[in-house]
Amino acid sequence: MNILFIGDIVGNPGREAVKVFLKPLIQEYGIDCALANGENAAGGKGITKEIAEELYDYGIQFITMGNHVWDQRSIMKFIDQEARLVRPANYPIGAPGRGYGYVRIKGKKVGVLNLSGRVYLNDLEDPFSGAARWVNEMRQETPLIIVDFHAEATSEKVALGWFLDGKVSAVLGTHTHIQTADARLLHQGTAYITDVGMTGPRDSVLGVKKETIINRFLTQLPAKFELASGPIQLNGVVIDVDENTGEARSITAIQRVKE
Amino acid sequence: MNILFIGDIVGNPGREAVKVFLKPLIQEYGIDCALANGENAAGGKGITKEIAEELYDYGIQFITMGNHVWDQRSIMKFIDQEARLVRPANYPIGAPGRGYGYVRIKGKKVGVLNLSGRVYLNDLEDPFSGAARWVNEMRQETPLIIVDFHAEATSEKVALGWFLDGKVSAVLGTHTHIQTADARLLHQGTAYITDVGMTGPRDSVLGVKKETIINRFLTQLPAKFELASGPIQLNGVVIDVDENTGEARSITAIQRVKE
Amino acid sequence: MNILFIGDIVGNPGREAVKVFLKPLIQEYGIDCALANGENAAGGKGITKEIAEELYDYGIQFITMGNHVWDQRSIMKFIDQEARLVRPANYPIGAPGRGYGYVRIKGKKVGVLNLSGRVYLNDLEDPFSGAARWVNEMRQETPLIIVDFHAEATSEKVALGWFLDGKVSAVLGTHTHIQTADARLLHQGTAYITDVGMTGPRDSVLGVKKETIINRFLTQLPAKFELASGPIQLNGVVIDVDENTGEARSITAIQRVKE
Amino acid sequence: MNILFIGDIVGNPGREAVKVFLKPLIQEYGIDCALANGENAAGGKGITKEIAEELYDYGIQFITMGNHVWDQRSIMKFIDQEARLVRPANYPIGAPGRGYGYVRIKGKKVGVLNLSGRVYLNDLEDPFSGAARWVNEMRQETPLIIVDFHAEATSEKVALGWFLDGKVSAVLGTHTHIQTADARLLHQGTAYITDVGMTGPRDSVLGVKKETIINRFLTQLPAKFELASGPIQLNGVVIDVDENTGEARSITAIQRVKE
Ligand SMILES: [Fe+2]
Ligand SMILES: [Fe+2]
Ligand SMILES: [Fe+2]
Ligand SMILES: [Fe+2]
Ligand SMILES: [Fe+2]
Ligand SMILES: [Fe+2]
Ligand SMILES: [Fe+2]
Ligand SMILES: [Fe+2]
């Protein structure tokens, strides 16, 4: 089974990139299942019900989130009813929404687990011991498990990859908005990449107008963020997974740009 | 002129990778000038005079450092005499060593500027306004300038790339130990990559034994770091620079592995 | 000369406390000069022109700020014209406003220097070397200098106190909103306290409704901050300074509560 | 029952202060039970078996720790056998040692719970939900419960105080090494102080030679820490607790200095 995972979709330019590139990618790679991180889909900050539905319409079947999950307050109202969207599982018990879920593809269940790192990020529950527990629960349902580990520090991401090696189909990092060049299969058959990268305006600082961010670093003054214009890019990975064992056969990093 | 920059050399395995791969790379790419980040060259922590000389012997012509620069206290004694080694220029005035220097290649001077980021790192002077000032000084000597920006946050690194675009030959990120897949020429002719990656044991967490780091995340207890064994990798970039204008013509990411 | 410094005034309850307690304190301690930190005066976030004027009306003669200085965007428009308000001096050159200023009291000039810490706070310029420079400049004008060091870490605050001992009349910490019990004269005659404390609703978490903050810690979800109601407190210090030498003769911590 | 809690004992000067002041304090306040934070008792870093015993000899009956708990590696060997010493309870399950324990005083059990904050500190389990759970367990044994909350941020400390108000006898902050001036009874009868302060060399930066720390801030270079000499201080609080209900009747902050 070929699974496509698209990195953090940033605002309108990011959604436009999905619209432009998803169909051709599905064709080219014979994609059976398309997942995406949507934490920046609404103007860079969070997601709304309408925007989630726009992404489903383009062909995305399941959405993961990250530290920006609550940026649009309206999510509090729809996340509990939303079967195709997860937020980091290591929020304290009682947080709205779910940390993992399933998509049904060709008679098989694909499990999607969302985790957040803690280094330089929020004070959530331990993603390591949590992952062990949640993956165990999910493996009652299916050996096909994709983990989106939304984290900043490379040490935490690489360590979680090795920690889950052989227990899940893939550990895919998100959050830094820059794709890393380390996509590979780990020793026990888990596909791994430290960061899938970002889907949105290419000539930018993580999606935002570069002049704004340069100025913020120079002045240390607050600034209104505006998404950049210009060429749009899609960053993602394609993982080929054995449907019966959940083992990954390959991982391929994808970059598409439209000038 | 073809310039090779090798990412953070980690301990003995990293030096071994330099020994094994540097000569063939020089041949293959017609390298005129080989630079490397050596902040982890001594067992993962800092550098000694002997190890710097070992790297020069292998063909490295100039060494940059980072947040681990002072890990081996002996550096305090030799850094001021060491013409081929720089530490982040944005340490406070009066710190031992220099923040930039020059290598003479085929009758041309190549300037090397080392900077440290501040986000999630030490409280140093502003790398942005500092860079503007130091690059200005260096351009009195040469238009060929390579910047090693040793930083954690992708936003800070990408922003500095755009900020120096057209003013230097290359802005090369280091510190995360994971190579990014965004090597490119920016609009005004500066070569850029968010992180060059790490040179050392591949099946590790940033060079360290993976079991150690996983355990540290699970227990939050301190642990003695031991470098990993197994396959070694070299991560680097080759930049082709116009010797007269300093403009970059291309940047190519390099990964070599020896099982 | 008796100088009163009032700690972070939080919103309407904090301004109410100033209104209620300032006049009696001026009487009781024979206050010649009343200063206050106003970074939270506007509903907990920043300050407006109107609110600054309200504080002047109550008898405050000079206002310092902190990390919340830019929370009310309107400050960008009036801060350059505002002779009685300073923001941390270690913002990069070119930031709106000034880092130090003077109040004229009984024919003497009292200098007020505002600094921000860097530990766990913004990436500003070094408050230590900056302080040395700015204090030097100010001493051309007057030996009577009050420093508001707005910082989080006790180590940074205590160290700056010792660093400026004998060079200024007082180093007064702000920002943590909790008064410390270490008001004293240092060896060379500088009055010191790690934190002056907060002026606003007492039964709160730093001014905010306690239920809100407890809930935020329990859920890690964002929350709308609402100032607490109930008893109001004023926290401050009175420093008796020799008008000719600038040396402090005493420092007295003040707490007033109105149920 | 009168309980004395002594703030972070720093090295030899701190132990000397305990030796000098503890007996007279026991007399003066009719102390029934003497507790202390010992995370810096061994030269500023951690504690050894010998030093713990030295403190027991002086009259300390129970020791709490903090982020420095593991600084002396020998603790790993004796902490499990040590009935009178606790480390933060919110370390992951499986960490050596215990998070709470009991002292028997006049036929009553006094429970001592140690917690660590997470803001600006280690990534431990949630101290809020953890506290609720552990306090519940402890209340099966005794209503007399003293909490040492070892944390940096005032917001986290104040919030935990309110959160446990009425459920424990006292919430006492430690870690910043500066005593705060907010000792009080909360609404439901819990005694509270944001920080008890430090026991060790007074004219120092948190116990360390002031020149060392000033220099570190100025140069950003690593430095060997040396404890300061000169006058020694003891910082603590005395809490008078109703032995039958566990309710606090008063809290008194204590400072003693020997020139
Ligand atoms: Fe994102
Ligand atoms: Fe994110
Ligand atoms: Fe490194
Ligand atoms: Fe580094
Ligand atoms: Fe404040
Ligand atoms: Fe503040
Ligand atoms: Fe301590
Ligand atoms: Fe501590």
Side-chain angles (χ1 to χ4, degrees):
Chain A
M1 182 185 293
N2 290 313
I3 298 171
L4 171 67
F5 185 98
I6 296 172
D8 303 41
I9 299 168
V10 179
N12 198 57
R15 283 158 15 227
E16 180 68 18
V18 174
K19 188 177 174 187
V20 170
F21 294 117
L22 181 52
K23 290 272 154 68
L25 282 169
I26 288 173
Q27 287 264 281
E28 186 178 345
Y29 288 92
I31 298 303
D32 302 298
C33 172
L35 315 170
N37 182 297
E39 69 146 6
N40 309 110
K45 305 187 159 190
I47 199 168
T48 62
K49 192 160 181 44
E50 293 65 39
I51 283 175
E53 267 152 24
E54 183 186 335
L55 294 176
Y56 301 142
D57 284 348
Y58 295 151
I60 301 294
Q61 288 154 291
F62 207 91
I63 295 169
T64 57
M65 299 294 286
N67 55 311
H68 287 287
V69 55
W70 317 113
D71 284 4
Q72 301 291 330
R73 293 302 174 84
S74 66
I75 198 172
M76 297 288 183
K77 290 187 212 129
F78 74 86
I79 193 171
D80 280 328
Q81 279 71 52
E82 189 52 63
R84 292 172 289 178
L85 185 152
V86 286
R87 45 84 189 152
N90 46 340
Y91 269 91
I93 288 170
R98 266 167 301 261
Y100 61 81
Y102 303 95
V103 214
R104 208 165 258 292
I105 304 289
K106 301 197 299 181
K108 300 276 175 186
K109 263 178 164 179
V110 175
V112 182
L113 171 60
N114 199 182
L115 291 169
S116 169
R118 299 201 287 188
V119 180
Y120 313 133
L121 272 171
N122 298 326
D123 288 332
L124 304 183
E125 297 317 301
D126 174 14
F128 286 76
S129 62
R133 206 164 63 245
W134 295 311
V135 164
N136 244 6
E137 292 169 19
M138 296 174 80
R139 287 179 69 93
Q140 312 298 316
E141 299 290 318
T142 178
L144 280 167
I145 298 172
I146 308 295
V147 178
D148 171 357
F149 189 32
H150 196 82
E152 175 75 34
T154 48
S155 62
E156 200 177 11
K157 291 161 107 167
V158 176
L160 191 88
W162 288 118
F163 180 64
L164 293 181
D165 183 21
K167 302 200 181 70
V168 300
S169 305
V171 173
L172 309 175
T174 57
H175 178 66
T176 72
H177 287 208
I178 302 292
Q179 191 176 91
T180 53
D182 63 343
R184 63 179 283 210
L185 297 184
L186 300 180
H187 296 169
Q188 313 296 327
T190 292
Y192 175 79
I193 190 168
T194 295
D195 211 287
V196 174
M198 178 265 279
T199 298
R202 187 195 59 181
D203 296 343
S204 68
V205 179
L206 316 190
V208 178
K209 255 184 104 168
K210 55 184 191 283
E211 292 76 13
T212 310
I213 303 296
I214 289 172
N215 219 46
R216 209 191 39 156
F217 277 114
L218 278 168
T219 64
Q220 297 290 330
L221 298 175
K224 225 181 250 166
F225 282 16
E226 201 185 320
L227 296 189
S229 52
I232 53 176
Q233 70 179 11
L234 177 146
N235 277 352
V237 289
V238 174
I239 310 134
D240 179 9
V241 182
D242 182 310
E243 319 181 359
N244 298 310
T245 64
E247 209 169 312
R249 281 185 289 242
S250 70
I251 176 168
T252 310
I254 304 287
Q255 298 195 1
R256 291 291 179 274
V257 177
K258 190 184 154 218
E259 301 284 335
Chain B
M1 182 185 292
N2 290 313
I3 298 170
L4 171 68
F5 186 97
I6 296 172
D8 304 40
I9 299 168
V10 178
N12 198 56
R15 284 159 14 229
E16 180 68 19
V18 174
K19 189 177 172 187
V20 170
F21 294 117
L22 181 51
K23 291 271 154 69
L25 282 170
I26 288 174
Q27 287 264 280
E28 185 178 346
Y29 288 92
I31 298 303
D32 302 298
C33 173
L35 316 170
N37 183 297
E39 71 146 4
N40 309 109
K45 304 188 160 188
I47 198 166
T48 63
K49 193 161 179 47
E50 293 66 38
I51 283 176
E53 265 150 27
E54 183 186 336
L55 294 176
Y56 301 143
D57 283 349
Y58 295 150
I60 301 294
Q61 288 155 293
F62 206 92
I63 296 169
T64 57
M65 299 294 287
N67 55 311
H68 287 287
V69 56
W70 317 112
D71 283 3
Q72 300 291 330
R73 291 302 173 83
S74 66
I75 198 171
M76 296 289 182
K77 291 187 213 130
F78 74 85
I79 194 171
D80 280 329
Q81 279 70 53
E82 189 51 61
R84 293 171 287 178
L85 184 151
V86 287
R87 45 83 191 151
N90 46 341
Y91 269 90
I93 287 171
R98 269 167 299 262
Y100 61 81
Y102 303 95
V103 214
R104 206 165 261 289
I105 304 290
K106 302 197 297 183
K108 300 279 177 184
K109 263 180 165 176
V110 176
V112 183
L113 171 60
N114 198 182
L115 291 170
S116 169
R118 300 202 287 189
V119 180
Y120 312 133
L121 274 171
N122 298 326
D123 288 332
L124 303 183
E125 296 318 300
D126 175 14
F128 285 78
S129 62
R133 205 163 66 246
W134 295 310
V135 165
N136 244 6
E137 292 170 19
M138 295 174 81
R139 288 180 68 94
Q140 313 297 315
E141 298 292 319
T142 178
L144 279 166
I145 298 171
I146 308 295
V147 179
D148 171 358
F149 188 33
H150 196 81
E152 174 76 32
T154 48
S155 61
E156 201 177 12
K157 292 160 108 166
V158 177
L160 191 89
W162 289 117
F163 179 63
L164 293 181
D165 183 21
K167 302 199 181 68
V168 299
S169 305
V171 173
L172 310 174
T174 56
H175 177 66
T176 71
H177 287 208
I178 302 293
Q179 191 176 89
T180 53
D182 63 341
R184 62 180 283 209
L185 298 183
L186 301 180
H187 296 170
Q188 313 294 326
T190 293
Y192 176 80
I193 189 168
T194 295
D195 210 287
V196 173
M198 178 266 280
T199 297
R202 187 196 58 181
D203 296 342
S204 67
V205 178
L206 317 191
V208 178
K209 254 182 102 170
K210 54 184 191 284
E211 291 76 12
T212 310
I213 303 296
I214 288 173
N215 219 45
R216 209 191 39 157
F217 277 115
L218 278 169
T219 65
Q220 297 291 328
L221 298 175
K224 225 180 251 164
F225 281 19
E226 201 187 320
L227 296 189
S229 52
I232 54 176
Q233 69 179 12
L234 178 146
N235 277 353
V237 289
V238 173
I239 311 134
D240 178 10
V241 181
D242 182 309
E243 318 180 358
N244 299 309
T245 63
E247 207 169 312
R249 281 185 290 242
S250 70
I251 175 168
T252 310
I254 304 287
Q255 297 194 2
R256 291 291 179 275
V257 176
K258 188 184 154 220
E259 302 285 336
Chain C
M1 183 185 293
N2 291 313
I3 298 171
L4 170 68
F5 186 97
I6 296 173
D8 303 41
I9 299 168
V10 178
N12 197 58
R15 285 158 14 229
E16 180 68 19
V18 173
K19 190 178 172 187
V20 170
F21 294 116
L22 181 51
K23 290 270 154 69
L25 282 169
I26 288 173
Q27 288 265 278
E28 185 177 345
Y29 288 92
I31 298 303
D32 302 297
C33 173
L35 315 170
N37 183 297
E39 70 146 5
N40 309 111
K45 305 187 158 190
I47 199 167
T48 62
K49 194 163 179 42
E50 293 67 37
I51 284 175
E53 267 151 26
E54 182 185 335
L55 294 176
Y56 301 142
D57 283 349
Y58 295 150
I60 301 294
Q61 288 155 294
F62 206 91
I63 296 169
T64 57
M65 300 293 287
N67 56 311
H68 286 288
V69 54
W70 316 112
D71 283 5
Q72 300 290 330
R73 293 301 173 82
S74 65
I75 198 172
M76 297 289 183
K77 290 187 211 128
F78 74 86
I79 194 171
D80 280 328
Q81 278 71 53
E82 189 52 61
R84 292 173 288 178
L85 184 151
V86 288
R87 45 83 190 153
N90 47 340
Y91 270 90
I93 287 171
R98 266 165 301 261
Y100 61 80
Y102 304 94
V103 214
R104 208 166 258 291
I105 304 289
K106 303 199 295 184
K108 300 276 176 186
K109 262 178 164 177
V110 175
V112 183
L113 171 61
N114 198 183
L115 290 170
S116 169
R118 300 201 288 189
V119 179
Y120 312 132
L121 273 171
N122 298 326
D123 289 332
L124 303 183
E125 297 317 301
D126 174 15
F128 286 76
S129 62
R133 206 164 63 245
W134 295 310
V135 164
N136 244 6
E137 291 169 19
M138 295 174 80
R139 288 179 68 94
Q140 311 298 315
E141 300 290 319
T142 178
L144 280 167
I145 298 172
I146 308 295
V147 179
D148 171 358
F149 188 32
H150 196 81
E152 174 77 33
T154 48
S155 62
E156 200 177 13
K157 291 161 109 166
V158 177
L160 192 88
W162 288 118
F163 180 64
L164 294 180
D165 183 21
K167 303 199 180 70
V168 300
S169 305
V171 173
L172 310 175
T174 57
H175 178 65
T176 70
H177 286 208
I178 302 292
Q179 190 176 91
T180 54
D182 63 343
R184 62 180 281 209
L185 297 183
L186 301 180
H187 296 171
Q188 313 294 326
T190 292
Y192 175 80
I193 190 168
T194 295
D195 212 287
V196 174
M198 178 265 281
T199 297
R202 187 196 59 180
D203 296 342
S204 66
V205 179
L206 317 190
V208 178
K209 254 184 104 166
K210 55 183 191 284
E211 292 77 12
T212 309
I213 303 297
I214 289 173
N215 220 44
R216 208 190 42 156
F217 277 114
L218 279 169
T219 64
Q220 297 290 329
L221 298 175
K224 225 180 250 164
F225 281 17
E226 201 186 321
L227 295 188
S229 53
I232 53 176
Q233 69 179 11
L234 179 146
N235 278 352
V237 289
V238 173
I239 311 133
D240 178 10
V241 182
D242 182 309
E243 318 182 0
N244 298 311
T245 63
E247 208 169 314
R249 282 186 288 242
S250 70
I251 175 167
T252 310
I254 303 287
Q255 298 195 3
R256 290 291 178 275
V257 177
K258 190 185 154 218
E259 302 284 335
Chain D
M1 184 184 292
N2 289 313
I3 298 170
L4 170 68
F5 186 98
I6 296 174
D8 304 40
I9 299 168
V10 178
N12 198 57
R15 281 155 20 225
E16 180 68 19
V18 174
K19 189 177 172 188
V20 170
F21 293 118
L22 181 50
K23 292 269 154 70
L25 282 169
I26 288 174
Q27 288 263 279
E28 184 177 349
Y29 288 93
I31 298 301
D32 303 297
C33 172
L35 315 170
N37 182 297
E39 69 146 6
N40 309 110
K45 305 188 158 187
I47 198 165
T48 62
K49 191 159 182 45
E50 292 66 38
I51 284 176
E53 266 150 27
E54 182 185 336
L55 295 175
Y56 301 142
D57 283 349
Y58 295 150
I60 301 293
Q61 288 155 291
F62 207 92
I63 296 170
T64 57
M65 299 294 287
N67 55 311
H68 287 287
V69 56
W70 316 113
D71 284 4
Q72 301 291 332
R73 290 304 173 82
S74 65
I75 198 172
M76 296 288 182
K77 290 187 212 129
F78 74 86
I79 195 171
D80 280 328
Q81 279 69 53
E82 189 51 63
R84 293 172 288 178
L85 186 151
V86 288
R87 44 84 190 152
N90 47 340
Y91 269 91
I93 287 171
R98 270 166 297 263
Y100 62 79
Y102 303 94
V103 213
R104 206 165 261 289
I105 304 289
K106 302 198 297 185
K108 300 277 176 186
K109 262 179 164 176
V110 176
V112 182
L113 171 61
N114 198 182
L115 291 170
S116 168
R118 300 201 288 188
V119 179
Y120 313 132
L121 273 171
N122 298 325
D123 289 332
L124 302 183
E125 297 317 301
D126 175 14
F128 285 78
S129 61
R133 206 163 63 245
W134 295 310
V135 165
N136 244 5
E137 292 169 19
M138 296 174 80
R139 288 179 68 94
Q140 311 298 314
E141 300 290 318
T142 178
L144 279 168
I145 299 171
I146 308 295
V147 179
D148 171 357
F149 188 33
H150 195 81
E152 174 77 34
T154 48
S155 62
E156 200 177 12
K157 290 161 109 166
V158 178
L160 192 87
W162 288 118
F163 180 62
L164 293 181
D165 183 20
K167 303 199 181 69
V168 299
S169 305
V171 173
L172 310 174
T174 57
H175 176 68
T176 72
H177 287 209
I178 302 293
Q179 190 176 92
T180 54
D182 63 342
R184 62 180 282 210
L185 297 183
L186 300 181
H187 296 170
Q188 312 296 326
T190 293
Y192 175 81
I193 189 168
T194 295
D195 211 286
V196 174
M198 178 266 279
T199 297
R202 187 195 59 180
D203 296 343
S204 67
V205 179
L206 317 191
V208 178
K209 254 184 102 168
K210 55 185 191 284
E211 292 76 13
T212 309
I213 303 296
I214 288 172
N215 220 44
R216 208 189 42 155
F217 278 115
L218 278 169
T219 64
Q220 297 292 327
L221 297 175
K224 225 180 253 167
F225 281 18
E226 201 186 320
L227 295 189
S229 51
I232 53 175
Q233 70 179 9
L234 178 146
N235 277 352
V237 289
V238 173
I239 311 134
D240 178 10
V241 182
D242 182 310
E243 319 181 0
N244 298 310
T245 64
E247 210 169 312
R249 281 186 288 243
S250 70
I251 175 169
T252 311
I254 304 287
Q255 297 194 4
R256 290 291 178 276
V257 177
K258 189 186 154 218
E259 301 286 335

